Amino acid sequence: ATILENFEPSLSGGYKKIKGYTKFNTSAVPTSGNIQGISCVSNGYTALVVRNDKYHVVTSSAITQAHSNTATNYAGRTALSGGKVRFAHYNMGAGEKTIIVDGVNSVAYYDGSQSAGSSVTFSDPSHANYSGTVGAKFATVFKNHIVLGKSNTIVIGVIGVDNNFNAGGGALEINVKDQVSGLIVFREQLIVFTKNSIQRITGSATTGTDGFKLSPITNDIGCIKEDTVQEIGGDVLFYAPDGIRSLAATEKIGDFGLEVASKPIKKDIDSLNGTSFDSFVIREKAQYRLMAFNSGYTTGDSEGLIATKFIDQGGTGLNWSTIKGFKSYASDSRYYGVAGSTAELILFANTDGYVYQAEITNGFDSANIRGIYESPYMPIQDPTIRKTFYKMGLYLDPEGAITAKVNIKYDQGKASIIQPNPINIVTTGTGLTYYNVSASTYDSDSYSSDFDKLYNNNIVGSGKTVAIRIEEESTNPPFRLDTAVLEYSV
């Protein structure tokens, strides 16, 4: 493909039109401004959402402010002015909790075992145990320690507790000499991204013979876009100055290889116009999605990239496509894997106050999804010889009705070359109907009927090179592009 918009490289082969999104809750989160942060928390299909510096517990049926406006230590917090809020989950033996950092204040906490209205609490920035957390921007958990990133410092809390970041009381501060832009735990190491370097922390304790140690991976390349660091399929991807890079561990223990994974799509990376960036993973599809957020863009004009991983390590195993129609400022995904339910919850939000759930419908919140595939111009053995084309067999794998248009384009689409009219590919129906499903019908028109997978069409025209362009704009279920067979003579 030379153009692949709202299609994704499929693990089943070919390219598949993407699924869309709908509102996770039909009501907007109260107040105004961007959704500053989303976290899928442990108590089952529940999100912790921040808007206008207030925290809310959001389910598909309810939105509850998670603290009172007079909660202890809340009134004295500094306003974030729309800045991002980030989260890390941990379990120190009393059930899963979530630590919250916002880049300005000291840490806060979410405890899902408490009632929704009082599930978020705030630390005292004047206390010695928390004063070092003021301004923390990133958080993760490493070797049973909570780790925070702030300015050019990594703060490692006391082992086994979530309430002691006092450097004089067993915690540790490490200067990484540059602005921290991301943290991720990868293969028993804590990877620290800055704007100009990538470093790693090894060890298991704040003191002693196995104390934490900082060592460089590279001092020439860093992560320049926050919220783009993600682990997918045994590899870590991040936004570097020259595109999306892969931090792939090599066979040598403790060694790393750095590749520019996005080299084949450099023009698409360079064209992303975002005032900030966001990313999430879809584990069931081995997929990394990068979203460019620009408050001046409409939802329909907002763009991003999809990377599907086909091999275990290295950027060369990524296949890319573009996505248009997702406007995401903050997002999160979590794999629950509950039988009979949504296995993976994928949520995102922007400026309108709604939380959206992705991979759940066939439209962009009821609007059409426009999918475009275009092949390169193919010389078919010899680019100097003209070919006359007669037929095209198009193999598709539909999940529902299709209303697509197929264009055959000759000789780089030159204006001086007569180009054929589009071919309509239309199929209707419901596909297979299963016995004992409440919505099943048993008449001869729909019972156990399957969709066609081969669409034969006569085509006209001639050229030295030929390309195929397929467009489909609808809320129909996804379909997969498999193979096109062209019949021609020289």
Side-chain angles (χ1 to χ4, degrees):
T2 56
I3 298 175
L4 201 59
E5 180 180 298
N6 290 336
F7 277 93
E8 58 192 16
S10 172
L11 296 177
S12 301
Y15 305 113
K16 188 173 183 179
K17 190 180 176 186
I18 65 170
K19 293 185 73 68
Y21 56 81
T22 189
K23 292 181 177 70
F24 180 58
N25 187 299
T26 55
S27 298
V29 177
T31 69
S32 59
N34 292 348
I35 298 287
Q36 298 164 268
I38 296 177
S39 180
C40 299
V41 290
S42 64
N43 47 331
Y45 308 109
T46 300
L48 181 60
V49 179
V50 190
R51 191 181 193 195
N52 198 21
D53 301 351
K54 289 185 168 69
Y55 295 81
H56 300 81
V57 174
V58 180
T59 67
S60 59
S61 59
I63 299 176
T64 307
Q65 186 168 317
H67 57 90
S68 70
N69 293 334
T70 58
T72 303
N73 300 321
Y74 177 69
R77 291 167 67 86
T78 302
L80 306 182
S81 302
K84 285 197 174 182
V85 178
R86 300 175 178 91
F87 312 84
H89 307 302
Y90 62 94
N91 190 335
M92 302 294 187
E96 183 177 290
K97 298 180 181 179
T98 301
I99 194 165
I100 306 164
V101 294
D102 60 24
V104 176
N105 298 289
S106 60
V107 296
Y109 300 92
Y110 166 79
D111 184 352
S113 66
Q114 304 299 314
S115 64
S118 58
S119 55
V120 170
T121 55
F122 305 93
S123 62
D124 179 1
S126 64
H127 195 287
N129 283 359
Y130 296 109
S131 59
T133 73
V134 173
K137 201 172 186 179
F138 302 94
T140 190
V141 179
F142 179 58
K143 302 289 183 69
N144 211 27
H145 297 260
I146 293 179
V147 181
L148 307 177
K150 50 176 284 186
S151 185
N152 61 344
T153 304
I154 299 299
V155 179
I156 304 177
V158 173
I159 188 169
V161 297
D162 62 0
N163 59 357
N164 190 346
F165 300 92
N166 185 354
L172 177 67
E173 293 188 4
I174 301 175
N175 188 339
V176 295
K177 301 179 182 179
D178 197 4
Q179 185 75 34
V180 177
S181 57
L183 299 174
I184 194 167
V185 176
F186 184 60
R187 301 194 178 182
E188 297 298 308
Q189 299 170 94
L190 175 63
I191 309 299
V192 180
F193 291 90
T194 73
K195 298 291 184 181
N196 299 291
S197 67
I198 306 173
Q199 303 172 70
R200 60 185 163 198
I201 294 176
T202 55
S204 299
T206 54
T207 59
T209 56
D210 194 27
F212 292 117
K213 297 180 180 62
L214 179 72
S215 60
I217 295 174
T218 174
N219 290 317
D220 296 321
I221 293 290
C223 175
I224 62 170
K225 304 292 186 184
E226 296 171 352
D227 302 308
T228 63
V229 179
Q230 297 284 357
E231 181 177 357
I232 181 68
D235 202 351
V236 173
L237 300 180
F238 63 97
Y239 201 129
D242 51 357
I244 305 300
R245 278 188 174 260
S246 159
L247 181 70
T250 63
E251 291 183 359
K252 291 171 62 178
I253 296 175
D255 196 10
F256 287 93
L258 288 164
E259 297 178 279
V260 183
S262 62
K263 189 181 295 183
I265 56 155
K266 180 169 174 52
K267 64 181 180 65
D268 297 301
I269 287 284
D270 293 343
S271 68
L272 288 178
N273 187 12
T275 53
S276 68
F277 285 79
D278 181 42
S279 65
F280 60 86
V281 297
I282 303 178
R283 296 159 185 81
E284 290 189 332
K285 293 184 175 182
Q287 222 173 75
Y288 169 84
R289 292 196 179 184
L290 173 72
M291 303 298 179
F293 174 83
N294 192 316
S295 58
Y297 279 30
T298 66
T299 297
D301 290 333
S302 297
E303 297 179 317
L305 293 171
I306 298 174
T308 304
K309 193 163 183 61
F310 284 86
I311 64 173
D312 290 340
Q313 292 181 8
T316 55
L318 291 170
N319 284 2
W320 296 88
S321 64
T322 61
I323 189 169
K324 193 170 185 179
F326 272 74
K327 187 175 183 179
S328 177
Y329 180 73
S331 65
D332 194 22
S333 66
R334 182 161 184 157
Y335 192 79
Y336 290 98
V338 181
S341 303
T342 302
E344 193 165 11
L345 183 63
I346 304 158
L347 302 177
F348 71 95
N350 48 59
T351 57
D352 63 9
Y354 290 99
V355 177
Y356 295 95
Q357 183 177 357
E359 295 292 296
I360 197 71
T361 65
N362 301 320
F364 287 157
D365 198 30
S366 301
N368 288 344
I369 300 176
R370 186 189 185 205
I372 304 173
Y373 160 85
E374 188 170 309
S375 75
Y377 280 91
M378 299 171 284
I380 307 184
Q381 296 181 340
D382 193 333
T384 66
I385 297 177
R386 181 171 297 278
K387 278 76 65 173
T388 300
F389 294 86
Y390 300 106
K391 289 185 178 180
M392 179 186 67
L394 189 61
Y395 290 84
L396 306 177
D397 187 9
E399 296 179 7
I402 298 175
T403 54
K405 290 186 180 295
V406 180
N407 284 86
I408 304 297
K409 303 168 69 175
Y410 298 115
D411 296 347
Q412 279 64 44
K414 293 178 181 177
S416 59
I417 303 296
I418 297 175
Q419 305 291 348
N421 291 326
I423 301 167
N424 291 318
I425 303 292
V426 179
T427 183
T428 59
T430 57
L432 289 174
T433 303
Y434 296 97
Y435 181 74
N436 205 30
V437 175
S438 60
S440 295
T441 54
Y442 301 101
D443 59 77
S444 59
D445 291 332
S446 61
Y447 182 61
S448 288
S449 62
D450 203 357
F451 292 110
D452 292 333
K453 294 191 176 182
L454 171 61
Y455 299 84
N456 284 310
N457 290 275
N458 294 322
I459 58 176
V460 297
S462 64
K464 295 177 181 178
T465 60
V466 62
I468 301 168
R469 181 182 175 96
I470 300 172
E471 295 186 44
E472 211 263 3
E473 184 172 1
S474 71
T475 56
N476 291 333
F479 64 95
R480 186 169 59 88
L481 302 174
D482 193 334
T483 306
V485 179
L486 297 173
E487 294 186 19
Y488 70 97
S489 64
V490 174

